[in-house]
Amino acid sequence: MGSIIDGYLSSQQGGNKGFSGNDLHGNIESLLDNYNGDFNLILVSLTAAVMRSDGTATRSELDYVKDFFVRQFGTEKTKQDLLLLREALKRDIPLDRICAAARGKMNYHTRLQLMHYLFGIAYADGNFSPAEQNILWKIATFLEITPTDFRTVGAMFGSTATASNRAYEVLGIERNTPEEEIKKAYRQMALKYHPDRVTHLGEDVRKAAEEKFKKIQEAYEAVKKEKGFA
């Protein structure tokens, strides 16, 4: 993975001048050893935890991460973050401290978006392993994400539900839930996952939220059709 990251950096215009591992090594070690709650370190640390959870960090996972970082932070900042990721992949991540800092910096809706991003990493190579599911559950617990919301996020990726139950899990309900409770659950989910909740995180995150919001609407329509109510 280190060579893949180096290859990406050297392929950029101007190579990785000013971003060599030797130049940044001390700063990276200092950040990791003297954790101060920096937002990018939160993101990189949790990214590394998911990528290394099943023992293999893949190129498809790195591509997913790189594309996300470039969209959010630009090419130059991504170079620095990938070098930090290279170092983080070598270390055990203190999830309790990292997630505690995330809780202090992010509201609940933002932490939900973070869980969507982390699920995306796990799914990037098309193989959602038990180890990945376990680390995501651990992170969600430390982030104080409710079990219902964890299942909802997972169901949006297809990871925690069979096809017949997926619409119900997306809405966080059981198949035998009464009609009024289904409508109530949909209204609650619609408020919780509405794209306006994450407008402050940038246009790309808002667009991603719109896709998730659409899945909630589709799930509700599927349940209404199955149950036969308007």
Side-chain angles (χ1 to χ4, degrees):
M1 183 52 63
S3 64
I4 292 174
I5 291 175
D6 287 339
Y8 164 72
L9 294 174
S10 62
S11 70
Q12 303 304 297
Q13 186 174 2
N16 51 341
K17 182 180 179 181
F19 297 94
S20 72
N22 290 334
D23 290 341
L24 288 180
H25 181 75
N27 290 334
I28 290 171
E29 290 300 306
S30 177
L31 281 170
L32 291 171
D33 289 333
N34 303 292
Y35 181 64
N36 62 3
D38 175 79
F39 174 76
N40 276 75
L41 187 57
I42 292 172
L43 200 57
V44 168
S45 297
L46 295 181
T47 295
V50 175
M51 289 180 71
R52 61 176 289 178
S53 62
D54 59 358
T56 305
T58 66
R59 179 58 183 263
S60 55
E61 291 172 341
L62 179 61
D63 286 342
Y64 176 90
V65 171
K66 173 179 66 67
D67 290 345
F68 176 86
F69 274 67
V70 168
R71 291 195 307 271
Q72 294 300 311
F73 310 117
T75 302
E76 292 305 309
K77 186 67 172 67
T78 296
K79 292 178 183 180
Q80 299 179 56
D81 288 336
L82 287 181
L83 284 170
L84 181 59
L85 176 62
R86 183 176 64 182
E87 295 301 323
L89 284 166
K90 302 174 185 176
R91 301 168 62 94
D92 291 327
I93 303 300
L95 288 178
D96 54 346
R97 287 192 295 148
I98 297 293
C99 292
R103 294 197 308 271
K105 285 183 171 288
M106 305 174 186
N107 62 29
Y108 190 79
H109 306 289
T110 304
R111 300 199 305 273
L112 277 177
Q113 292 301 316
L114 176 59
M115 285 306 305
H116 279 279
Y117 161 72
L118 297 175
F119 261 95
I121 297 172
Y123 255 80
D125 60 1
N127 178 34
F128 187 65
S129 69
E132 289 170 324
Q133 183 167 353
N134 288 339
I135 197 69
L136 288 170
W137 173 253
K138 190 172 184 179
I139 291 171
T141 301
F142 281 134
L143 289 177
E144 298 182 354
I145 301 297
T146 68
T148 296
D149 283 335
F150 180 81
R151 289 193 297 271
T152 292
V153 174
M156 289 182 184
F157 286 87
S159 59
T160 60
T162 62
S164 61
N165 288 330
R166 189 163 299 145
Y168 293 90
E169 289 214 6
V170 167
L171 295 175
I173 58 176
E174 303 293 337
R175 296 187 72 91
N176 60 354
T177 301
E179 178 180 327
E180 287 305 312
E181 289 300 312
I182 293 173
K183 292 179 178 179
K184 180 180 177 180
Y186 168 69
R187 289 194 296 269
Q188 291 174 338
M189 283 291 176
L191 286 173
K192 186 182 298 182
Y193 287 89
H194 198 282
D196 287 349
R197 295 276 191 175
V198 293
T199 299
H200 63 289
L201 297 178
E203 187 60 24
D204 285 322
V205 175
R206 178 182 167 80
K207 287 179 180 178
E210 287 175 348
E211 289 298 316
K212 300 175 187 72
F213 187 67
K214 183 179 178 181
K215 289 182 179 180
I216 291 171
Q217 293 174 310
E218 290 172 348
Y220 182 55
E221 291 301 321
V223 171
K224 285 200 303 180
K225 182 177 181 181
E226 181 176 311
K227 294 288 187 178
F229 66 84

